[in-house]
Amino acid sequence: MTQKKPWQGRFSAETDEVFEVFSESLSFDYRLFSQDIAGSIAHCRMLVKQAIIPKESGDKIIQALKKVREEIAAGKIEFDPAWEDIHMAVEACVISKTGPVGGAMHTARSRNDQVATDLRLYVRDSILEIQSLLSGLMTAFIEKAKQYIDVILPGLTHLQHAQAVRFSHHLMAYVEMLRRDSQRLSDALKRVNVLPLGSGALSGTTFPLDREYVADQLGFEAISRNSMDAVSDRDFVVEFLAAAALIMAHLSRFSEDLIIWNSAYARFIELPDALTTGSSMMPQKKNPDGAELIRGKSGRVFGHLMAMLTVLKGLPMTYNRDLQEDKEPLFDAVDTVKAAISVAVLLVKGLEAIPERMAEATAWGYLQATDLADYLAKKGIPFRDAHAIVGRLVAHAIENGKALSAYTTEELQKFSPLFEKDALEVTAIDKGVDQRSGFGMTGRSAVMEQIEFAENNYLKNRETHSEKK
Ligand code: ARG
């Protein structure tokens, strides 16, 4: 039998066609080509340095690898499904350039430690890209927070009007969430950035490898300590997907806020035409589909996390082909998160507040009620009693269709003689908001402090990654 596959030495029959389609991964793992080639170049250099293969062979192979990388990047290589996966595809392309000597490239290596290495490089690259996108999104939020520093809107609990807050305070809440997302990725990166190559199929190899040298070339900060763990570990994919899922959860929550602000009930913001869509039937419609799609796409990323955990849960040591199922969820999560962040940036940059609508809603929401109760409590009335007094005032206001800010001192005094002229500073919305000047609060000075801190500390958070190339 002529061998179609490099591993077919012991086989006497060809692979079934239906099974071949079922088992191939080249149709999706081609995306790992540059990581695969980077790993092979580093491996080859090491084989030469350790005198495991002759320098001439190594040089030839490395040259061919670089050429193959160019050709794949330029779309010049037509992949043959019989190659199965990107590792075999690259090897076949190299051998077609070098002749049989190219086969030396796979000395002291298995696809098991190879694919684990490729995937770690891919996750590392993706983390760095996503962190830079997150930084762009935080910047967009910060810019909007500055632009709208004096705009006030009703803050909600239970989706009910609660207390007045600065719009910028609300926007900066997302910056805090995104900052944690970025930190979570940095933390995951420590465990991603470990070299599995040298673990062989599962037990290592009899060749005198220099794994440190390979790690150094590829910018890995450590090398794996147990070859069996190294070839079967995909914890780093789970950790990445968990971080990705939380990013999507945050973007989805933001989308939900946008959708509410943009709804006919609130009309607090206007979204740009470029980021909304019309209806095929209703001529008047302008729908916030960008935000809805971010919210909708969060579901698939959560699903990918669950898929990966499920693939792993029943695996005996060590490598099992099930692990090939790690790639599609990972790739789709990376694509989805990157696209969702990019669209979120556009939405944040493009949204325009309608401060008059926000002010109107704030005036009518009885949002100063807590502050009025606090006012009485500061004058010595137990808070519970103060709460009841202001409750009666609110009931009166509702009954008479009156805003709390419309009450005069004398009118307030009918509810408690302790109300004096300065109570009007409490019922004036913006003054009440600015009294919340403590650390982390919604007063102007406190929000300015948040913005400044974020600008100085959140946007250039690259300190944890070494990108040795
Ligand atoms: N395509 C395979 C994967 O993604 C590569 C490793 C194959 N290893 C093996 N022993 N069949 O997992």
Side-chain angles (χ1 to χ4, degrees):
M1 190 185 90
T2 50
Q3 277 188 27
K4 279 208 184 147
K5 298 194 191 298
W7 43 255
Q8 235 165 3
R10 62 153 291 176
F11 287 74
S12 51
E14 291 296 341
T15 310
D16 181 278
E17 277 172 30
V18 172
F19 172 61
E20 189 165 80
V21 172
F22 186 68
S23 77
E24 68 86 31
S25 55
L26 184 54
S27 57
F28 47 89
D29 69 11
Y30 72 89
R31 288 178 56 152
L32 296 173
F33 80 89
S34 72
Q35 287 85 4
D36 193 73
I37 290 173
S40 287
I41 291 175
H43 181 66
C44 249
R45 286 198 182 125
M46 184 276 292
L47 293 177
V48 170
K49 183 176 104 48
Q50 298 298 96
I52 296 170
I53 62 170
K55 185 167 179 336
E56 308 85 73
S57 312
D59 288 348
K60 261 195 182 168
I61 294 169
I62 289 169
Q63 242 189 347
L65 280 165
K66 290 181 177 168
K67 195 92 190 87
V68 171
R69 178 161 58 194
E70 266 170 41
E71 289 175 4
I72 297 180
K76 284 190 191 149
I77 291 187
E78 208 176 308
F79 290 123
D80 179 350
W83 287 336
E84 284 188 9
D85 58 30
I86 188 61
H87 325 295
M88 293 304 205
V90 170
E91 187 180 292
C93 294
V94 166
I95 292 173
S96 79
K97 292 190 189 308
T98 60
V101 69
M105 164 176 121
H106 209 56
T107 313
R109 185 175 72 172
S110 155
R111 272 187 292 167
N112 298 353
D113 56 350
Q114 186 179 1
V115 71
T117 304
D118 293 5
L119 212 59
R120 284 172 181 272
L121 290 172
Y122 174 82
V123 172
R124 188 176 74 187
D125 292 344
S126 302
I127 285 177
L128 297 178
E129 280 168 25
I130 291 170
Q131 284 185 316
S132 115
L133 288 169
L134 285 173
S135 183
L137 182 54
M138 286 190 275
T139 306
F141 271 115
I142 289 170
E143 288 309 312
K144 274 290 144 169
K146 284 197 214 160
Q147 179 185 346
Y148 291 129
I149 187 68
D150 287 320
V151 172
I152 287 167
L153 85 170
L156 311 176
T157 61
H158 315 272
L159 205 59
Q160 301 286 318
H161 284 189
Q163 294 173 340
V165 293
R166 301 200 108 71
F167 187 41
S168 48
H169 193 51
H170 193 141
L171 296 174
M172 290 305 292
Y174 284 105
V175 173
E176 291 299 318
M177 290 150 89
L178 297 169
R179 162 63 167 171
R180 291 196 295 276
D181 290 333
S182 187
Q183 286 177 322
R184 233 180 313 275
L185 289 171
S186 292
D187 184 53
L189 187 58
K190 292 180 211 150
R191 285 173 296 280
V192 174
N193 214 9
V194 178
L195 174 81
L197 207 62
S199 300
L202 77 160
S203 66
T205 163
T206 53
F207 290 98
L209 305 184
D210 184 347
R211 299 184 64 203
E212 293 287 356
Y213 178 73
V214 177
D216 237 35
Q217 288 183 78
L218 294 172
F220 282 109
E221 271 164 15
I223 60 177
S224 58
R225 291 185 171 273
N226 181 301
S227 60
M228 294 178 78
D229 174 45
V231 294
S232 61
D233 172 28
R234 295 294 182 274
D235 294 358
F236 65 98
V237 178
V238 172
E239 285 192 56
F240 171 79
L241 289 173
L246 212 37
I247 293 174
M248 290 306 292
H250 291 159
L251 297 183
S252 184
R253 288 186 63 190
F254 171 59
S255 299
E256 179 67 5
D257 274 345
L258 279 185
I259 290 162
I260 291 170
W261 290 337
N262 185 63
S263 72
Y265 304 107
R267 283 267 166 264
F268 284 178
I269 59 164
E270 185 70 37
L271 291 173
D273 283 4
L275 301 173
T276 47
T277 53
S279 156
S280 62
M281 186 185 199
M282 299 169 282
Q284 83 282 12
K285 292 282 281 205
K286 177 174 159 183
N287 299 322
D289 296 30
E292 289 169 36
L293 278 168
I294 292 175
R295 190 178 58 184
K297 281 175 191 284
S298 60
R300 60 206 261 178
V301 178
F302 300 173
H304 295 326
L305 170 62
M306 206 43 67
M308 193 62 230
L309 285 167
T310 310
V311 166
L312 293 178
K313 75 173 267 294
L315 294 188
M317 286 290 221
T318 53
Y319 178 86
N320 298 268
R321 192 64 179 276
D322 315 42
L323 288 173
Q324 182 167 292
E325 286 294 308
D326 56 7
K327 286 169 206 63
E328 285 160 296
L330 172 63
F331 294 158
D332 186 69
V334 169
D335 292 345
T336 306
V337 166
K338 281 169 44 178
I341 299 173
S342 305
V343 171
V345 169
L346 297 175
L347 285 165
V348 175
K349 283 190 177 165
L351 77 85
E352 272 177 48
I354 308 176
E356 314 78 62
R357 284 284 309 130
M358 293 184 182
E360 203 180 316
T362 311
W364 285 101
Y366 313 106
L367 302 160
Q368 318 92 312
T370 313
D371 291 6
L372 278 176
D374 289 350
Y375 175 95
L376 294 176
K378 284 175 196 161
K379 298 208 165 188
I381 298 192
F383 181 79
R384 197 44 61 221
D385 297 333
H387 187 290
I389 293 168
V390 178
R392 285 192 286 278
L393 168 64
V394 169
H396 181 269
I398 292 171
E399 218 166 282
N400 294 280
K402 202 164 159 169
L404 287 180
S405 55
Y407 282 79
T408 63
T409 314
E410 294 70 40
E411 286 170 331
L412 289 175
Q413 280 167 351
K414 289 191 189 131
F415 295 88
S416 166
L418 291 177
F419 281 125
E420 287 174 74
K421 208 162 157 243
D422 59 353
L424 301 188
E425 307 221 334
V426 178
T427 54
I429 296 280
D430 39 346
K431 291 202 178 123
V433 171
D434 281 337
Q435 279 168 4
R436 290 176 162 70
S437 56
F439 188 77
M441 300 183 189
T442 197
R444 196 178 201 281
S445 56
V447 175
M448 289 300 288
E449 203 177 311
Q450 285 182 55
I451 293 175
E452 199 177 317
F453 187 81
E455 274 188 313
N456 293 333
N457 297 280
Y458 293 0
L459 302 181
K460 29 186 187 325
N461 58 343
R462 332 293 310 161
E463 73 281 352
T464 40
H465 341 107
S466 69
E467 263 189 291
K468 301 176 231 155
K469 269 273 148 72

